Each structure stands twice: as C-alpha cells, then as structure tokens.
Amino acid sequence: MMFGTLARYFLRRYAITTFWFLLGVSAIIFLADFSETARRMSGLPGYSVPAALGLTALRLPLILQQTVPFIALFVGMTTLISLNRRYELVVTRAAGISAWQFIMPFVGGAVILGILSVTVLNPIAAWGESQSLAVEAGWRNEGGASRQQILPWLRQSSGGQDTIIGAKSFEDNGTMLKDVVLIHLDKDGNILKRQDARSAKLEDGYWLLNDVAEITPGHVPTREATAKISTNLRQEFVQERLTQPETVAFFDLSRKIEIAQSFGLSSKALETQYHFLLSMPFLLVAMTLIAATVSLKFSRFAQSRSVILGGIVSGFVLYVVTVLVRAFGSSGVVPPFVAVWVPVVVALALGATILLHQEDG
C-alpha cells in the first residue's frame, strides 16, 4: 500500500513536469517557426500574419514530435533531481524501497508518453504537415513561384516505348503536373522525341497534356494545344510514389506499406517510420534510464554539473545515432527493423547496466 501511494505520487510529479515541459517547448517552437515562416514567405501575395500563425500551428505537432525524446530525458532528470534535493528519494531509500522500485513510475510515465505521442500526437502531426504543405503551395502559386514539392522522375512503359516524366511541381497528390518534361525512348534506349507541356493531367489510361512543344530528332519542332500520351500508371501508384512518411499517420502506415509493395515501389522509408514509431515508448524508457544514471546519486548541495552534462550529452548522442541510422534504413542500406531497434536496445541495455553498477555494485 505504501509503495502504491508513493508510485502514484511520483507518477503525478512526472506528469506535471511533462506538461510544463511540453507547454514551454511548444511555445519556443511556435515562436521560432513563426519567425522563420515570416522570413521566408512574407513577400508572397497570399501571406498574412493570421495565416502565418495558422500555418505555424499546423506545423507545430510535427516539430514537437521530434523533440519528445529530449523532453523525456529532461523531464526524468528534472523530476529526479527535484526529488533528491527535497530529500524525498533519501526517505524512500530509508523506507526500504530500492531504486529499481521507485524508478518504475518514471518508466511507466515514459511508456505512457511514448504511446500518446504515437497514437495521438503523430496522427495530428501527419494531418497538420499535409495541410501546411498545401497552404504553402497555394501561397507560392499565387506569387507565380515554383512549389517546393518537386516531382521525382517517373518512368512508364506503354505501347512498346518507355517514357520518363518529370515536372517542377505537382498538385492533387501527383495527378496534376506542372511544367512537365516527357522523354520518349525506344526499346533500345534511344530518344525518340521530347515533349514539354505546361501541365499534364493523369486521366484513366492516358496523360492529357496542355500547351505542348514537341521536339523530334531530324524534324522541325512543333507546338500543339493538347496531346494525349497513353499510360498504364494508376492514380494510386503515383500517389504512393510521392508519399512522404511524415505525412502518413501511424494507423495508416501498414496499409501504405502494403500498397507500395504491391506496386513494386520501395517501402523502406515507410517501414523505417513505422518501426520508429513502434520503438518510441522504448526509446523514451532508454532516455529515462539515462536520466536516472545521473540523477539518483544524493548530494548534499547539488548534483555535479559535469555528471548532468554527461547525461545530456549521452541523450543527445543517442538521438543523433538514432536519426543517422534511420536515414540508412530509409535509403535501404540497412534493414529498417535493424536500423531502428538496434540503437534503442543498446541504449536500454547500457542504461540498465550503469544503474546496476551504481545501485547493486
């Protein structure tokens, strides 16, 4: 009964500290991102201060999600150091409760924070990021500027010919292309002709080109108002080809992975994002264990600054390694499962080992 009451008290302290950290970090992110948005887009016709505030609010959940591991680290350190300075951990140890027991509420709090970040924050962040990209694209189109969404080169085979398609920008999830270039190749890879169009709309079985300039080797260049190019590309294929993992909610990732694989597309980036979100609670537990290694030792006046700095550096190194290996997983250099889970498992084992050495010798 005593430990149950104490565990609820520690968990409540953890939750309150987490709330204030989330609030403070959100305010800092909002101010910084709003300043950056104003700097980049204040010259666009569609820009206004209320609209920029709304755009920043849409982007806030995605950026906040990226800071959750650091928040877990600092919350764990702040809460444990506060309890230490108020002698509450000393009294807890004197009552016969081991460090492994009173750390459990903080580990449970980290797991809860990880689950909420995956099931609540991530869907909001994915929706907000997709909406913010649409809003920003609208502003740039009003100003006559090219959009930031650059179309990766697509290749299609139809009628015995290969066609390479590129564009400066796209709309409607890739079914409407702007400033399009189409290069037609024969079966031997020789260029048959090149077409430049103002726009290309993906219809059922063909691309509808508008304002087309056609160049064929050995012939005079021609221009047509419209042209049709047969295709076997489906709208779903193009949409999956252009999907960004950050704009897909956790609950939709498994379906997106299956669809991408059914089209023969690489799903490494989506798989890496999926495993990263699955590992989030364990990553936060690792951050909490790292915080405990530098915060549990009692000091009459204060914890050593060098020890606390070492904990912060360790958490930062873990985060950097996680991001770096995720990039390898997304590119296919390392299997996504290995790229995501190995750093987390190593960090958990390392944190537990250091605590065992400190507490049990």
Side-chain angles (χ1 to χ4, degrees):
M1 183 182 299
M2 179 184 68
F3 179 68
T5 302
L6 189 64
R8 289 194 296 271
Y9 171 71
F10 284 165
L11 184 58
R12 184 169 66 251
R13 290 286 299 273
Y14 184 92
I16 292 173
T17 307
T18 302
F19 171 77
W20 287 112
F21 263 94
L22 287 172
L23 188 63
V25 171
S26 298
I28 295 173
I29 292 173
F30 190 90
L31 291 175
D33 192 63
F34 174 75
S35 300
E36 178 63 16
T37 300
R39 184 189 68 81
R40 291 190 299 112
M41 304 181 186
S42 58
L44 299 178
Y47 176 86
S48 66
V49 173
L53 291 173
L55 180 64
T56 303
L58 289 172
R59 289 172 47 83
L60 175 62
L62 180 65
I63 304 175
L64 181 62
Q65 181 184 346
Q66 298 172 0
T67 65
V68 167
F70 283 110
I71 291 176
L73 174 67
F74 284 108
V75 166
M77 293 178 61
T78 301
T79 308
L80 289 171
I81 291 174
S82 175
L83 292 173
N84 233 341
R85 288 184 175 180
R86 296 172 62 178
Y87 300 97
E88 290 173 288
L89 292 187
V90 177
V91 174
T92 301
R93 289 177 184 271
I97 299 175
S98 70
W100 292 104
Q101 288 178 298
F102 63 72
I103 283 178
M104 286 301 105
F106 302 99
V107 171
V111 171
I112 294 172
L113 177 60
I115 293 174
L116 290 177
S117 68
V118 172
T119 59
V120 178
L121 183 59
N122 174 258
I124 297 175
W127 177 83
E129 178 67 8
S130 61
Q131 295 299 312
S132 67
L133 289 175
V135 171
E136 183 175 344
W139 291 357
R140 293 183 179 278
N141 284 343
E142 289 182 19
S146 62
R147 296 174 57 174
Q148 287 187 327
Q149 292 177 295
I150 305 300
L151 177 75
W153 289 93
L154 299 174
R155 186 172 186 134
Q156 69 172 38
S157 297
S158 180
Q161 296 182 3
D162 287 348
T163 304
I164 300 175
I165 305 172
K168 289 185 177 180
S169 63
F170 62 88
E171 298 176 357
D172 299 334
N173 294 321
T175 58
M176 171 62 78
L177 310 181
K178 299 292 185 179
D179 297 324
V180 192
V181 175
L182 298 95
I183 300 176
H184 300 266
L185 308 173
D186 61 18
K187 61 181 180 179
D188 297 324
N190 300 315
I191 297 178
L192 296 177
K193 63 180 177 180
R194 166 176 171 161
Q195 292 177 308
D196 294 83
R198 185 178 299 276
S199 65
K201 175 68 174 176
L202 180 58
E203 303 289 354
D204 187 13
Y206 63 93
W207 289 97
L208 179 61
L209 309 182
N210 293 302
D211 193 10
V212 187
E214 183 174 310
I215 301 175
T216 303
H219 297 77
V220 177
T222 60
R223 179 172 291 276
E224 301 177 356
T226 61
K228 291 183 179 181
I229 303 297
S230 62
T231 182
N232 54 7
L233 295 180
R234 295 166 52 190
Q235 294 185 1
E236 295 84 357
F237 174 89
V238 177
Q239 292 170 359
E240 294 302 321
R241 178 72 172 82
L242 304 177
T243 296
Q244 299 180 11
E246 295 80 10
T247 61
V248 182
F250 171 74
F251 300 106
D252 297 329
L253 274 172
S254 58
R255 181 178 60 84
K256 287 287 186 179
I257 292 172
E258 292 178 359
I259 294 175
Q261 291 176 344
S262 68
F263 286 129
L265 299 174
S266 174
S267 61
K268 299 299 184 182
L270 293 172
E271 291 180 46
T272 302
Q273 177 73 359
Y274 180 70
H275 284 291
F276 172 71
L277 294 176
L278 280 180
S279 68
M280 178 66 74
F282 300 95
L283 177 61
L284 300 192
V285 171
M287 288 292 189
T288 302
L289 292 180
I290 292 174
T293 60
V294 299
S295 306
L296 287 183
K297 186 177 179 180
F298 173 72
S299 177
R300 183 179 297 273
F301 298 104
Q303 272 70 22
S304 172
R305 290 184 177 88
S306 60
V307 175
I308 295 175
L309 180 61
I312 296 174
V313 171
S314 300
F316 178 77
V317 170
L318 172 60
Y319 182 79
V320 170
V321 170
T322 302
V323 173
L324 181 62
V325 180
R326 278 176 59 199
F328 291 151
S330 298
S331 62
V333 176
V334 180
F337 180 85
V338 175
V340 172
W341 286 99
V342 167
V344 176
V345 172
V346 170
L348 283 171
L350 185 60
T353 302
I354 294 175
L355 280 178
L356 280 170
H357 176 73
Q358 290 179 344
E359 297 298 324
D360 304 323

